[in-house]
Amino acid sequence: MELTRSGSAGAPKGFMAVIFRGAEGEGAGVVTQASGGILMRFFSDTSGGGDRMRVLPSLPQPEQTRDHARTGAGVAADLDLIARAFGLNVAQIAEVCGGVTRPTVYAWRDGSAPRPAKLTRIHKLRRAALDWERSGFGVPGTAMTAPIIHEKNLFDLLRADPLDLAAIQFAGGRLAMERELATKRTFADPFR
């Protein structure tokens, strides 16, 4: 069955409803957020009668409440991961987390919850650190301050706002390639 868009319908504020019709008159409708990212409801009328529509339940919404004890432990683990992956000290961690102070970083490690914007930044840095470790790039060491992309170094990329995860991953690939090319290799003579 091939469906074509036949129109749109009213939906709650911030949502969009689209009606589709098939060749035989059957219809389907989708109600989504305007971003198109979350499917809220799907209903179908295969008989052509409006009295036989099915409404499937909405997808569950993620829980919005915060467990402050878990947040503190999670932030400390995230900061440790970021420091380990990129070889950063506390002052550098403070700088890449959005220009906070070292005492703030120590407070986060002791269980204090960061503000939402800083928490979001820490989670993005965590994502970058996980990608870095999974790619096997290793600790950058002195390469942290070497120009990599348009005269920017890895530390500049980690401090950038917004954080560009693809650029950080690209920088890791470039550093790994440079490290590989700098390694001296000797080849065994296969004819001996």
Side-chain angles (χ1 to χ4, degrees):
M1 170 179 78
E2 183 176 320
L3 295 176
T4 58
R5 183 176 174 168
S6 67
S8 59
K13 185 177 179 181
F15 293 88
M16 179 179 75
V18 180
I19 307 298
F20 296 96
R21 293 276 175 223
E24 293 82 35
E26 65 274 354
V30 179
V31 178
T32 65
Q33 280 189 338
S35 68
I38 299 175
L39 178 66
M40 298 300 291
R41 295 193 190 281
F42 176 79
F43 50 95
S44 175
D45 179 13
T46 56
S47 68
D51 58 335
R52 300 181 75 151
M53 284 195 179
R54 292 181 299 145
V55 177
L56 300 177
S58 299
L59 295 174
Q61 294 295 321
E63 190 166 329
Q64 300 296 324
T65 61
R66 259 181 161 183
D67 180 3
H68 291 287
R70 170 67 187 116
T71 302
V75 169
D78 292 349
L79 294 173
D80 290 341
L81 171 67
I82 296 162
R84 182 180 70 240
F86 297 113
L88 302 175
N89 60 33
V90 176
Q92 292 169 324
I93 289 283
E95 200 168 336
V96 300
C97 285
V100 298
T101 62
R102 289 182 340 164
T104 301
V105 174
Y106 286 121
W108 291 344
R109 286 190 173 179
D110 290 338
S112 176
R115 292 184 179 165
K118 298 299 181 190
L119 187 60
T120 300
R121 177 134 182 114
I122 291 168
H123 287 307
K124 287 181 181 177
L125 285 165
R126 176 185 180 274
R127 176 82 254 157
L130 283 172
D131 291 346
W132 189 272
E133 282 191 338
R134 288 178 184 154
S135 297
F137 294 144
V139 178
T142 58
M144 177 67 79
T145 56
I148 300 173
I149 303 172
H150 302 293
E151 303 303 318
K152 289 185 178 181
N153 57 42
L154 180 57
F155 195 60
D156 293 335
L157 295 173
L158 291 172
R159 288 185 300 191
D161 189 27
L163 202 60
D164 187 350
L165 298 178
I168 294 169
Q169 190 72 6
F170 177 80
R174 182 171 273 184
L175 289 173
M177 182 180 68
E178 288 174 2
R179 189 174 25 245
E180 184 69 26
L181 292 175
T183 305
K184 293 188 179 190
R185 298 181 185 256
T186 58
F187 294 102
D189 185 1
F191 300 107
R192 272 192 181 196

PDB file of all heavy atoms in Angstrom, residues 42-61:
ATOM      1  N   PHE A  42      -0.314   7.307  16.613  1.00  0.00           N
ATOM      2  CA  PHE A  42      -0.556   6.815  15.277  1.00  0.00           C
ATOM      3  C   PHE A  42      -1.966   6.234  15.270  1.00  0.00           C
ATOM      4  O   PHE A  42      -2.340   5.514  16.185  1.00  0.00           O
ATOM      5  CB  PHE A  42       0.445   5.720  14.911  1.00  0.00           C
ATOM      6  CG  PHE A  42       0.182   5.113  13.574  1.00  0.00           C
ATOM      7  CD1 PHE A  42       0.563   5.765  12.427  1.00  0.00           C
ATOM      8  CD2 PHE A  42      -0.460   3.895  13.463  1.00  0.00           C
ATOM      9  CE1 PHE A  42       0.312   5.211  11.197  1.00  0.00           C
ATOM     10  CE2 PHE A  42      -0.713   3.334  12.233  1.00  0.00           C
ATOM     11  CZ  PHE A  42      -0.322   3.987  11.093  1.00  0.00           C
ATOM     12  N   PHE A  43      -2.749   6.603  14.286  1.00  0.00           N
ATOM     13  CA  PHE A  43      -4.079   6.024  14.201  1.00  0.00           C
ATOM     14  C   PHE A  43      -4.346   5.617  12.766  1.00  0.00           C
ATOM     15  O   PHE A  43      -3.786   6.170  11.828  1.00  0.00           O
ATOM     16  CB  PHE A  43      -5.173   6.973  14.717  1.00  0.00           C
ATOM     17  CG  PHE A  43      -5.116   8.365  14.150  1.00  0.00           C
ATOM     18  CD1 PHE A  43      -5.867   8.702  13.058  1.00  0.00           C
ATOM     19  CD2 PHE A  43      -4.300   9.331  14.732  1.00  0.00           C
ATOM     20  CE1 PHE A  43      -5.826   9.978  12.537  1.00  0.00           C
ATOM     21  CE2 PHE A  43      -4.259  10.606  14.221  1.00  0.00           C
ATOM     22  CZ  PHE A  43      -5.017  10.938  13.115  1.00  0.00           C
ATOM     23  N   SER A  44      -5.181   4.623  12.581  1.00  0.00           N
ATOM     24  CA  SER A  44      -5.408   4.065  11.262  1.00  0.00           C
ATOM     25  C   SER A  44      -6.891   3.774  11.078  1.00  0.00           C
ATOM     26  O   SER A  44      -7.574   3.357  11.989  1.00  0.00           O
ATOM     27  CB  SER A  44      -4.613   2.763  11.120  1.00  0.00           C
ATOM     28  OG  SER A  44      -4.896   2.149   9.896  1.00  0.00           O
ATOM     29  N   ASP A  45      -7.339   4.000   9.875  1.00  0.00           N
ATOM     30  CA  ASP A  45      -8.722   3.699   9.524  1.00  0.00           C
ATOM     31  C   ASP A  45      -8.697   2.916   8.219  1.00  0.00           C
ATOM     32  O   ASP A  45      -8.741   3.481   7.137  1.00  0.00           O
ATOM     33  CB  ASP A  45      -9.518   4.988   9.378  1.00  0.00           C
ATOM     34  CG  ASP A  45     -10.959   4.733   9.003  1.00  0.00           C
ATOM     35  OD1 ASP A  45     -11.396   3.571   9.092  1.00  0.00           O
ATOM     36  OD2 ASP A  45     -11.633   5.689   8.605  1.00  0.00           O
ATOM     37  N   THR A  46      -8.550   1.615   8.329  1.00  0.00           N
ATOM     38  CA  THR A  46      -8.457   0.793   7.125  1.00  0.00           C
ATOM     39  C   THR A  46      -9.811   0.562   6.476  1.00  0.00           C
ATOM     40  O   THR A  46      -9.885   0.230   5.303  1.00  0.00           O
ATOM     41  CB  THR A  46      -7.818  -0.563   7.450  1.00  0.00           C
ATOM     42  OG1 THR A  46      -8.579  -1.193   8.475  1.00  0.00           O
ATOM     43  CG2 THR A  46      -6.389  -0.382   7.911  1.00  0.00           C
ATOM     44  N   SER A  47     -10.903   0.765   7.220  1.00  0.00           N
ATOM     45  CA  SER A  47     -12.224   0.521   6.655  1.00  0.00           C
ATOM     46  C   SER A  47     -12.792   1.738   5.954  1.00  0.00           C
ATOM     47  O   SER A  47     -13.762   1.634   5.224  1.00  0.00           O
ATOM     48  CB  SER A  47     -13.196   0.107   7.766  1.00  0.00           C
ATOM     49  OG  SER A  47     -13.419   1.211   8.619  1.00  0.00           O
ATOM     50  N   GLY A  48     -12.213   2.887   6.185  1.00  0.00           N
ATOM     51  CA  GLY A  48     -12.740   4.105   5.590  1.00  0.00           C
ATOM     52  C   GLY A  48     -13.723   4.819   6.496  1.00  0.00           C
ATOM     53  O   GLY A  48     -14.139   5.923   6.199  1.00  0.00           O
ATOM     54  N   GLY A  49     -14.117   4.190   7.603  1.00  0.00           N
ATOM     55  CA  GLY A  49     -15.073   4.804   8.509  1.00  0.00           C
ATOM     56  C   GLY A  49     -14.380   5.481   9.679  1.00  0.00           C
ATOM     57  O   GLY A  49     -13.478   4.920  10.288  1.00  0.00           O
ATOM     58  N   GLY A  50     -14.792   6.702   9.992  1.00  0.00           N
ATOM     59  CA  GLY A  50     -14.196   7.445  11.085  1.00  0.00           C
ATOM     60  C   GLY A  50     -14.471   6.840  12.442  1.00  0.00           C
ATOM     61  O   GLY A  50     -13.766   7.123  13.400  1.00  0.00           O
ATOM     62  N   ASP A  51     -15.510   5.991  12.545  1.00  0.00           N
ATOM     63  CA  ASP A  51     -15.848   5.407  13.828  1.00  0.00           C
ATOM     64  C   ASP A  51     -14.954   4.224  14.190  1.00  0.00           C
ATOM     65  O   ASP A  51     -15.038   3.690  15.280  1.00  0.00           O
ATOM     66  CB  ASP A  51     -17.308   4.956  13.831  1.00  0.00           C
ATOM     67  CG  ASP A  51     -17.609   3.957  12.736  1.00  0.00           C
ATOM     68  OD1 ASP A  51     -16.876   3.953  11.718  1.00  0.00           O
ATOM     69  OD2 ASP A  51     -18.574   3.188  12.898  1.00  0.00           O
ATOM     70  N   ARG A  52     -14.066   3.809  13.288  1.00  0.00           N
ATOM     71  CA  ARG A  52     -13.242   2.624  13.536  1.00  0.00           C
ATOM     72  C   ARG A  52     -11.760   2.967  13.653  1.00  0.00           C
ATOM     73  O   ARG A  52     -10.917   2.151  13.371  1.00  0.00           O
ATOM     74  CB  ARG A  52     -13.462   1.619  12.432  1.00  0.00           C
ATOM     75  CG  ARG A  52     -14.935   1.197  12.379  1.00  0.00           C
ATOM     76  CD  ARG A  52     -15.144   0.209  11.339  1.00  0.00           C
ATOM     77  NE  ARG A  52     -14.614  -1.074  11.814  1.00  0.00           N
ATOM     78  CZ  ARG A  52     -15.084  -2.230  11.428  1.00  0.00           C
ATOM     79  NH1 ARG A  52     -16.062  -2.279  10.573  1.00  0.00           N
ATOM     80  NH2 ARG A  52     -14.563  -3.339  11.875  1.00  0.00           N
ATOM     81  N   MET A  53     -11.469   4.195  14.054  1.00  0.00           N
ATOM     82  CA  MET A  53     -10.063   4.581  14.206  1.00  0.00           C
ATOM     83  C   MET A  53      -9.470   3.956  15.451  1.00  0.00           C
ATOM     84  O   MET A  53     -10.142   3.809  16.463  1.00  0.00           O
ATOM     85  CB  MET A  53      -9.931   6.103  14.308  1.00  0.00           C
ATOM     86  CG  MET A  53     -10.090   6.795  13.012  1.00  0.00           C
ATOM     87  SD  MET A  53      -9.488   8.461  13.180  1.00  0.00           S
ATOM     88  CE  MET A  53      -9.759   9.020  11.536  1.00  0.00           C
ATOM     89  N   ARG A  54      -8.203   3.615  15.340  1.00  0.00           N
ATOM     90  CA  ARG A  54      -7.469   3.087  16.481  1.00  0.00           C
ATOM     91  C   ARG A  54      -6.478   4.151  16.935  1.00  0.00           C
ATOM     92  O   ARG A  54      -5.811   4.763  16.130  1.00  0.00           O
ATOM     93  CB  ARG A  54      -6.684   1.837  16.092  1.00  0.00           C
ATOM     94  CG  ARG A  54      -7.579   0.663  15.778  1.00  0.00           C
ATOM     95  CD  ARG A  54      -6.766  -0.546  15.415  1.00  0.00           C
ATOM     96  NE  ARG A  54      -5.975  -0.252  14.213  1.00  0.00           N
ATOM     97  CZ  ARG A  54      -4.760  -0.724  13.995  1.00  0.00           C
ATOM     98  NH1 ARG A  54      -4.174  -1.494  14.874  1.00  0.00           N
ATOM     99  NH2 ARG A  54      -4.109  -0.437  12.892  1.00  0.00           N
ATOM    100  N   VAL A  55      -6.376   4.344  18.227  1.00  0.00           N
ATOM    101  CA  VAL A  55      -5.394   5.274  18.778  1.00  0.00           C
ATOM    102  C   VAL A  55      -4.434   4.461  19.624  1.00  0.00           C
ATOM    103  O   VAL A  55      -4.839   3.818  20.586  1.00  0.00           O
ATOM    104  CB  VAL A  55      -6.061   6.376  19.628  1.00  0.00           C
ATOM    105  CG1 VAL A  55      -5.010   7.280  20.242  1.00  0.00           C
ATOM    106  CG2 VAL A  55      -7.033   7.169  18.782  1.00  0.00           C
ATOM    107  N   LEU A  56      -3.171   4.471  19.225  1.00  0.00           N
ATOM    108  CA  LEU A  56      -2.158   3.767  19.994  1.00  0.00           C
ATOM    109  C   LEU A  56      -1.619   4.704  21.066  1.00  0.00           C
ATOM    110  O   LEU A  56      -1.592   5.920  20.882  1.00  0.00           O
ATOM    111  CB  LEU A  56      -1.029   3.303  19.066  1.00  0.00           C
ATOM    112  CG  LEU A  56      -1.484   2.348  17.956  1.00  0.00           C
ATOM    113  CD1 LEU A  56      -0.312   2.016  17.058  1.00  0.00           C
ATOM    114  CD2 LEU A  56      -2.073   1.086  18.536  1.00  0.00           C
ATOM    115  N   PRO A  57      -1.199   4.192  22.182  1.00  0.00           N
ATOM    116  CA  PRO A  57      -0.719   5.055  23.260  1.00  0.00           C
ATOM    117  C   PRO A  57       0.541   5.820  22.856  1.00  0.00           C
ATOM    118  O   PRO A  57       1.298   5.384  22.004  1.00  0.00           O
ATOM    119  CB  PRO A  57      -0.425   4.086  24.406  1.00  0.00           C
ATOM    120  CG  PRO A  57      -0.252   2.763  23.762  1.00  0.00           C
ATOM    121  CD  PRO A  57      -1.098   2.774  22.523  1.00  0.00           C
ATOM    122  N   SER A  58       0.725   6.940  23.499  1.00  0.00           N
ATOM    123  CA  SER A  58       1.919   7.751  23.260  1.00  0.00           C
ATOM    124  C   SER A  58       3.148   7.028  23.771  1.00  0.00           C
ATOM    125  O   SER A  58       3.072   6.176  24.648  1.00  0.00           O
ATOM    126  CB  SER A  58       1.812   9.087  23.999  1.00  0.00           C
ATOM    127  OG  SER A  58       0.712   9.803  23.546  1.00  0.00           O
ATOM    128  N   LEU A  59       4.277   7.388  23.206  1.00  0.00           N
ATOM    129  CA  LEU A  59       5.530   6.862  23.706  1.00  0.00           C
ATOM    130  C   LEU A  59       5.782   7.424  25.101  1.00  0.00           C
ATOM    131  O   LEU A  59       5.405   8.554  25.393  1.00  0.00           O
ATOM    132  CB  LEU A  59       6.676   7.269  22.770  1.00  0.00           C
ATOM    133  CG  LEU A  59       6.597   6.682  21.368  1.00  0.00           C
ATOM    134  CD1 LEU A  59       7.689   7.276  20.500  1.00  0.00           C
ATOM    135  CD2 LEU A  59       6.737   5.180  21.416  1.00  0.00           C
ATOM    136  N   PRO A  60       6.415   6.654  25.968  1.00  0.00           N
ATOM    137  CA  PRO A  60       6.652   7.165  27.320  1.00  0.00           C
ATOM    138  C   PRO A  60       7.597   8.362  27.293  1.00  0.00           C
ATOM    139  O   PRO A  60       8.532   8.406  26.513  1.00  0.00           O
ATOM    140  CB  PRO A  60       7.290   5.978  28.044  1.00  0.00           C
ATOM    141  CG  PRO A  60       7.829   5.107  26.968  1.00  0.00           C
ATOM    142  CD  PRO A  60       6.964   5.330  25.769  1.00  0.00           C
ATOM    143  N   GLN A  61       7.315   9.318  28.147  1.00  0.00           N
ATOM    144  CA  GLN A  61       8.164  10.499  28.261  1.00  0.00           C
ATOM    145  C   GLN A  61       9.314  10.193  29.209  1.00  0.00           C
ATOM    146  O   GLN A  61       9.123   9.524  30.221  1.00  0.00           O
ATOM    147  CB  GLN A  61       7.352  11.684  28.803  1.00  0.00           C
ATOM    148  CG  GLN A  61       6.281  12.153  27.847  1.00  0.00           C
ATOM    149  CD  GLN A  61       6.871  12.718  26.570  1.00  0.00           C
ATOM    150  OE1 GLN A  61       7.886  13.397  26.603  1.00  0.00           O
ATOM    151  NE2 GLN A  61       6.248  12.413  25.456  1.00  0.00           N
TER     152      GLN A  61
END
